[in-house]
Amino acid sequence: MNRKLRMSHVQNISSPKSEFYYVKGKRKVRTNKNEQGNRSPLDISKQVQLSKHEVTNMRRSQVPLIRETLSQLWENDMLPAIWFIFSRRGCDAAVEYIEDCRLLHDCEASEVELELRRFRMQYPDAVRENAVKGLLRGVAAHHAGCLPLWKSFIEELFQRGLVKVVFATETLAAGINMPARTAVISSLSKRIDAGRQLLTPNNLFQMAGRAGRRGIDTVGHSVLVQTTNEGPEECCDVIFAGLEPLVSQFTASYGMVLNLLAGSKVTHKQKESGDVKAKRSGRTLEEARKLVEQSFGNYVGSNVMVAAKEELERIQKDIQHLSSEITDEFIDRKCRKELSEEDYAEISLLQNKLKEEKKIRNELKKRMELERMAAWKTQLEEFESGHLPFMCLQYKDKDSVHHTIPAVFIGSLSSFDDQKIASMLEDDSIGPGKQEVDSEGQHFCPSYYVALSSDNSWYLFTEKWIKTVYQTGLPAVPSVEGGPLPRETLKQLLLREDMIWDKIAKSEHGFLLCMDGSLDTWSWSLNVPVLNSLSEDDKVERFSQEHQAAVESHKQQRRKVSQLKKTIRSTKGFREFQKIIDMRNFTKEKIERLEARSRRLTRRIMQIEPTGWKEFLQISNVIQEARVLDINTQVIYPLGETAAAIRGENELWLAMVLRNKVLLDLKPSQLAAVCGSLVSEGIKLRPWKNSSFVYEPSSVVVGVINYLEEQRNSLLDLQEKHGVKIPCEIDTQFAGMVEAWASGLTWREIMMDSAMDDGDLARLLRRTMDLLAQIPKLPDIDPVLQKNAQIACSVMDRVPLSELAG
């Protein structure tokens, strides 16, 4: 790792205490050789004791603008490039940001304009009008929100060299053949439901592998952009971690189980005996198991799992052996052996006394903390109305670095009159804020509060994390006459967020959670002053007599413990005793490293461990109880015949719906709407769209879906009984959009002011058409339903869907 990229180098340059000297006109930094040492490049940021805000500010100063990075790529002849950004909105925003940068020569621009004119004449509804300006200058976005027709058009222009930069989501890395000279990765982490997650080495190298065009480039370039959250240290952590093993995605499904086990069918023409035909052509469970065990997961995992289990067994034996060397009994025997009887007796007596005094100190510390929190709770109740006071939050990270956060207090979480907040309060995952804590016979219940910090981040916290509250703050005056007060405005801005919180600290009194603010809260955060600009006189006096008494008692006990430690250090046998204690601490660190290795191996074994057969048996129990197939005789029933022939996520659920007589009275467009409700998983509304409009389904469709909901609940109960976790989709949210398209509305009409992306709607309609196209080919389905499905599929299969190329 280049030493100029290290955080220590950046800190030395930015620090006013750095001493500079000049050698041949170049400014260099003089550092103390004794302080440099031999530091690992991966651990340098952990050794430099910087607060979170200091690290963030230093990294923020290094974050390049998109234009600056693009300029470097252009000057170093590193185009064309695929630029990975982990959100559709980010890709579109990046195109708009640099759409004035001209990357094409005049002849190339003319060629793009000609190709665009041809595309518009052939597919007028597939053109993304907001992307045309950037496209004519050699920049485009490529993500799941675009129509497949438009994406194919962008891919063709990129391969011909007429698009120089494509901003794409990570799905492109594992998609079509679209290599570039350079792959730019905008961030080493991406946002998930639980917060931000660092990229795995596999993900990183998958994207970086797009760099370099076969037969054209001799080398490919991969550029990782500095962000406020990650720097070169984190980059090295990911790169040097090594690739993760391939993990089989094999899972059993209803269709698989039915097709593997099914034998004879129930005969409609019964013999004289009235029995059922029973040709033993199906497989037994043992025969099916042999097939399942030939999966890729078992093939990959056989040798790897044996080696991993052997290593895990060795590690566990080492841990067990080392653990016996840090027990009190072992240390006691060691002390008896190394120390004289007189020294041992003296130190042993003092150590027992020290243990008791530490126990008392910890109890007093807990009492002091509870009294402090109770005092803050009383003070914050007074600030629920009126002005918004400034405050300071504090916490220690996993490396015990202390952080302070200047912020403005908004209010308690319980003061928000909103269902989204109410569900958060009922969710135990935000910490034990609802649990009561006993404080000298009195009960104290921590509460959650909200604040906006100076770095434009929302913080959710309990009284545990408060350091200081100030009398001064933002005045309770509306920005415009008759408008809402600042507290109400900030509450509304918070409710617009996705409520994806990162847990940055935890304790028994609740978590400290953080979430990035938006552009709307940015101006508010700029008005939070730095802490040293606030006067000490402005601090809120929050010390009660109980709290002061608890503080004083804790101080006295700390002095007593400290004095006792000095007494132990002054004993004759302390030096030998300290060697024994140091060896125990070293052994503890070794055990921690082995346990970390053990956890990694356990996770790897769980990934490799084949679970396909367990799922197979669980599903077979469901189909046996649901009278879909008889496991013992391998006789398949009509419902099973239909389910075995369907392609879908939950074949049994789809078969149950399609065989229901309630569908026979539906018109083709209404049947399409019901089918659309079965395949809408993963389709979402986009909150940043200017309008939230979607077509509502007809009352007939809503009634049918509500009726099917009861069947769905019974199947879910049956699945839960046997441990099957295959989802059963049915959702009315987008059924109206499918019904509108199947009724003949044009693409331009249906997308006007729509809250859906073009690509999402196209994907939903294609899924619906795929299900409709299967219905005429399914066994034992009513001919009326098959005819209506054929009509609906024919109506829906029109431009721009009929020409989809992916």
Side-chain angles (χ1 to χ4, degrees):
M1 178 177 169
N2 190 327
R3 69 179 62 183
K4 292 184 179 180
L5 297 177
R6 297 178 184 174
M7 185 61 71
S8 59
H9 181 81
V10 177
Q11 183 187 13
N12 287 334
I13 291 179
S14 61
S15 173
K17 297 181 182 179
S18 300
E19 184 180 351
F20 294 96
Y21 64 97
Y22 289 83
V23 177
K24 295 183 180 180
K26 295 184 178 181
R27 188 170 73 161
K28 296 188 178 285
V29 184
R30 176 181 289 130
T31 57
N32 190 337
K33 294 182 179 180
N34 295 329
E35 295 178 354
Q36 289 179 358
N38 295 321
R39 297 183 178 180
S40 166
L42 301 184
D43 298 330
I44 192 71
S45 65
K46 300 172 184 175
Q47 297 179 10
V48 180
Q49 297 297 306
L50 297 174
S51 70
K52 176 187 174 183
H53 291 289
E54 289 173 333
V55 173
T56 300
N57 289 335
M58 292 178 70
R59 283 180 170 170
R60 184 178 286 123
S61 66
Q62 297 175 295
V63 174
L65 298 174
I66 294 179
R67 290 175 182 269
E68 295 172 348
T69 306
L70 181 60
S71 175
Q72 292 289 330
L73 297 176
W74 175 270
E75 292 173 5
N76 289 278
D77 193 26
M78 295 169 67
L79 298 178
I82 298 177
W83 198 312
F84 291 103
I85 299 177
F86 303 121
S87 71
R88 304 179 188 181
R89 192 179 183 183
C91 293
D92 293 336
V95 172
E96 293 180 11
Y97 183 68
I98 63 169
E99 63 183 6
D100 293 329
C101 299
R102 187 180 179 87
L103 302 178
L104 300 177
H105 301 300
D106 290 340
C107 58
E108 291 176 328
S110 300
E111 193 171 351
V112 171
E113 191 173 358
L114 177 62
E115 292 296 330
L116 180 62
R117 191 178 297 117
R118 290 174 179 168
F119 184 83
R120 190 188 296 274
M121 291 177 61
Q122 191 172 3
Y123 312 113
D125 291 336
V127 177
R128 295 193 85 202
E129 297 296 343
N130 59 348
V132 169
K133 184 176 179 181
L135 184 63
L136 294 175
R137 284 163 173 75
V139 183
H142 186 292
H143 52 70
C146 307
L147 274 174
L149 269 175
W150 179 257
K151 289 195 290 185
S152 299
F153 179 56
I154 297 300
E155 292 161 13
E156 181 184 349
L157 294 181
F158 188 82
Q159 291 169 358
R160 290 169 57 183
L162 299 178
V163 172
K164 303 299 182 182
V165 179
V166 168
F167 292 95
T169 53
E170 71 271 25
T171 52
L172 179 67
I176 44 82
N177 181 28
M178 194 174 166
R181 180 172 295 172
T182 302
V184 182
I185 302 168
S186 64
S187 174
L188 276 174
S189 66
K190 59 182 179 179
R191 184 170 289 280
I192 59 174
D193 292 340
R196 298 196 70 86
Q197 182 183 60
L198 205 64
L199 294 178
T200 65
N202 290 24
N203 290 339
L204 179 61
F205 282 104
Q206 181 72 41
M207 289 184 281
R210 282 293 179 181
R213 297 167 296 179
R214 181 180 296 174
I216 301 176
D217 300 319
T218 57
V219 64
H221 306 280
S222 182
V223 179
L224 284 81
V225 181
Q226 167 86 50
T227 69
T228 56
N229 297 312
E230 308 94 18
E233 293 87 356
E234 288 79 8
C235 176
C236 285
D237 285 338
V238 176
I239 289 177
F240 299 145
L243 293 176
E244 298 174 343
L246 289 175
V247 178
S248 172
Q249 299 299 309
F250 172 81
T251 55
S253 65
Y254 287 108
M256 175 192 294
V257 174
L258 289 169
N259 283 293
L260 282 178
L261 298 181
S264 60
K265 303 176 183 178
V266 172
T267 306
H268 295 287
K269 289 184 178 181
Q270 296 182 349
K271 293 184 178 180
E272 293 179 0
S273 61
D275 292 334
V276 173
K277 284 184 180 179
K279 291 183 181 179
R280 292 280 182 163
S281 58
R283 294 181 180 86
T284 64
L285 285 176
E286 188 58 35
E287 291 171 337
R289 177 168 187 161
K290 290 180 180 179
L291 280 175
V292 171
E293 288 181 345
Q294 294 176 12
S295 69
F296 174 73
N298 285 310
Y299 170 74
V300 171
S302 56
N303 295 329
V304 177
M305 188 181 297
V306 170
K309 285 184 175 180
E310 289 177 353
E311 185 180 356
L312 182 61
E313 188 176 351
R314 288 195 302 270
I315 290 174
Q316 290 172 344
K317 287 181 179 179
D318 291 342
I319 292 175
Q320 186 177 3
H321 173 71
L322 292 172
S323 297
S324 65
E325 297 182 358
I326 61 173
T327 60
D328 292 340
E329 293 79 6
F330 181 86
I331 298 300
D332 187 67
R333 290 196 303 270
K334 190 80 171 174
C335 289
R336 286 178 184 273
K337 181 180 178 181
E338 299 294 335
L339 302 176
S340 65
E341 290 186 12
E342 184 181 348
D343 293 340
Y344 169 78
E346 183 182 12
I347 289 180
S348 179
L349 180 64
L350 291 173
Q351 280 292 116
N352 291 333
K353 189 175 180 180
L354 179 63
K355 188 181 296 184
E356 293 296 326
E357 296 297 338
K358 282 184 175 180
K359 184 178 179 181
I360 297 173
R361 182 194 63 184
N362 293 337
E363 291 175 353
L364 290 174
K365 182 179 180 181
K366 183 177 180 180
R367 181 191 163 199
M368 179 183 68
E369 181 69 12
L370 291 176
E371 294 293 353
R372 185 184 74 88
M373 293 171 62
W376 277 130
K377 185 168 188 173
T378 304
Q379 292 290 344
L380 292 179
E381 288 175 355
E382 300 176 4
F383 287 113
E384 287 290 340
S385 59
H387 75 290
L388 280 65
F390 299 127
M391 66 187 314
C392 177
L393 304 177
Q394 63 179 354
Y395 74 97
K396 286 184 179 180
D397 60 19
K398 60 182 179 180
D399 299 317
S400 297
V401 178
H402 188 266
H403 302 275
T404 56
I405 306 166
V408 59
F409 177 72
I410 309 299
S412 65
L413 206 60
S414 59
S415 66
F416 284 74
D417 185 18
D418 185 85
Q419 183 60 36
K420 189 186 297 186
I421 300 296
S423 61
M424 284 183 61
L425 287 171
E426 295 170 0
D427 186 4
D428 292 334
S429 64
I430 66 171
K434 297 180 287 184
Q435 298 176 1
E436 292 189 345
V437 183
D438 188 37
S439 174
E440 296 223 331
Q442 296 181 352
H443 292 279
F444 172 73
C445 182
S447 301
Y448 274 95
Y449 305 89
V450 178
L452 180 67
S453 69
S454 59
D455 65 345
N456 194 26
S457 296
W458 293 103
Y459 280 89
L460 191 62
F461 57 95
T462 61
E463 297 88 352
K464 158 74 180 175
W465 311 104
I466 301 174
K467 180 182 180 182
T468 313
V469 178
Y470 296 89
Q471 297 283 1
T472 57
L474 300 179
V477 179
S479 56
V480 295
E481 187 175 352
L485 295 175
R487 177 173 276 107
E488 297 305 318
T489 301
L490 287 169
K491 284 185 176 181
Q492 291 301 318
L493 291 176
L494 175 61
L495 294 176
R496 294 182 192 172
E497 304 287 352
D498 294 333
M499 296 299 170
I500 302 176
W501 297 89
D502 296 329
K503 295 176 183 176
I504 60 176
K506 62 181 179 179
S507 79
E508 59 181 339
H509 305 304
F511 290 130
L512 175 63
L513 302 102
C514 176
M515 176 176 65
D516 293 337
S518 62
L519 289 175
D520 296 326
T521 59
W522 178 64
S523 59
W524 290 91
S525 66
L526 294 178
N527 289 311
V528 179
V530 294
L531 296 176
N532 57 13
S533 67
L534 296 171
S535 172
E536 291 289 324
D537 298 333
D538 288 335
K539 291 184 178 180
V540 175
E541 183 65 36
R542 46 97 167 111
F543 297 109
S544 62
Q545 292 183 356
E546 294 81 1
H547 180 263
Q548 290 176 347
V551 171
E552 188 61 33
S553 299
H554 183 252
K555 285 182 179 179
Q556 292 177 3
Q557 189 63 25
R558 284 180 61 187
R559 285 195 290 267
K560 189 180 294 186
V561 170
S562 178
Q563 187 61 41
L564 200 53
K565 287 181 177 179
K566 289 181 181 178
T567 304
I568 294 174
R569 285 195 294 270
S570 64
T571 57
K572 185 179 178 181
F574 175 73
R575 180 171 295 181
E576 293 298 326
F577 174 75
Q578 187 62 42
K579 288 180 181 178
I580 297 172
I581 298 301
D582 289 342
M583 183 57 67
R584 181 174 68 173
N585 293 336
F586 176 78
T587 304
K588 284 183 177 179
E589 293 177 0
K590 190 173 182 180
I591 290 174
E592 289 176 359
R593 291 194 296 270
L594 288 173
E595 287 176 340
R597 174 63 177 162
S598 175
R599 287 192 294 270
R600 289 195 296 269
L601 281 173
T602 303
R603 285 197 299 269
R604 186 171 183 180
I605 289 172
M606 289 177 62
Q607 289 178 326
I608 298 172
E609 190 79 52
T611 58
W613 180 243
K614 179 182 176 182
E615 296 167 353
F616 193 97
L617 289 178
Q618 291 170 337
I619 291 174
S620 65
N621 291 333
V622 173
I623 63 177
Q624 174 78 10
E625 187 169 337
R627 298 287 294 171
V628 181
L629 178 140
D630 190 315
I631 302 296
N632 300 317
T633 62
Q634 291 90 44
V635 173
I636 187 169
Y637 296 95
L639 177 59
E641 292 181 47
T642 306
I646 293 179
R647 299 189 315 274
E649 186 169 17
N650 191 322
E651 299 91 341
L652 178 57
W653 167 236
L654 294 176
M656 291 173 65
V657 172
L658 297 179
R659 292 177 59 82
N660 201 303
K661 300 302 180 184
V662 75
L663 301 185
L664 299 180
D665 298 328
L666 297 179
K667 299 177 181 177
S669 60
Q670 294 170 339
L671 175 61
V674 174
C675 290
S677 71
L678 300 173
V679 293
S680 61
E681 184 185 13
I683 307 296
K684 298 179 181 178
L685 297 176
R686 301 299 161 186
W688 61 83
K689 304 281 280 187
N690 294 330
S691 173
S692 59
F693 175 78
V694 290
Y695 282 90
E696 296 292 334
S698 62
S699 58
V700 175
V701 172
V702 173
V704 170
I705 292 176
N706 291 337
Y707 172 77
L708 294 172
E709 187 74 32
E710 298 178 6
Q711 287 191 349
R712 173 178 175 269
N713 292 333
S714 63
L715 178 58
L716 286 174
D717 292 339
L718 182 59
Q719 288 191 161
E720 185 177 1
K721 175 182 175 182
H722 295 286
V724 175
K725 298 180 180 179
I726 303 176
C728 301
E729 275 295 320
I730 188 163
D731 187 4
T732 60
Q733 186 175 23
F734 303 110
M737 300 292 282
V738 178
E739 188 175 8
W741 178 253
S743 298
L745 263 68
T746 65
W747 187 262
R748 194 176 298 275
E749 289 173 334
I750 203 171
M751 288 304 300
M752 188 177 298
D753 296 328
S754 173
M756 299 179 68
D757 280 343
D758 293 19
D760 284 334
L761 181 57
R763 190 158 54 255
L764 173 63
L765 296 177
R766 290 299 299 182
R767 289 180 187 173
T768 305
M769 291 165 59
D770 178 70
L771 181 56
L772 289 169
Q774 293 183 61
I775 294 176
K777 305 172 186 177
L778 296 177
D780 206 44
I781 293 292
D782 194 290
V784 174
L785 186 68
Q786 291 180 327
K787 183 178 180 181
N788 285 339
Q790 201 166 6
I791 294 172
C793 187
S794 177
V795 172
M796 293 179 67
D797 191 16
R798 61 185 192 274
V799 177
L801 300 184
S802 58
E803 300 291 339
L804 293 185

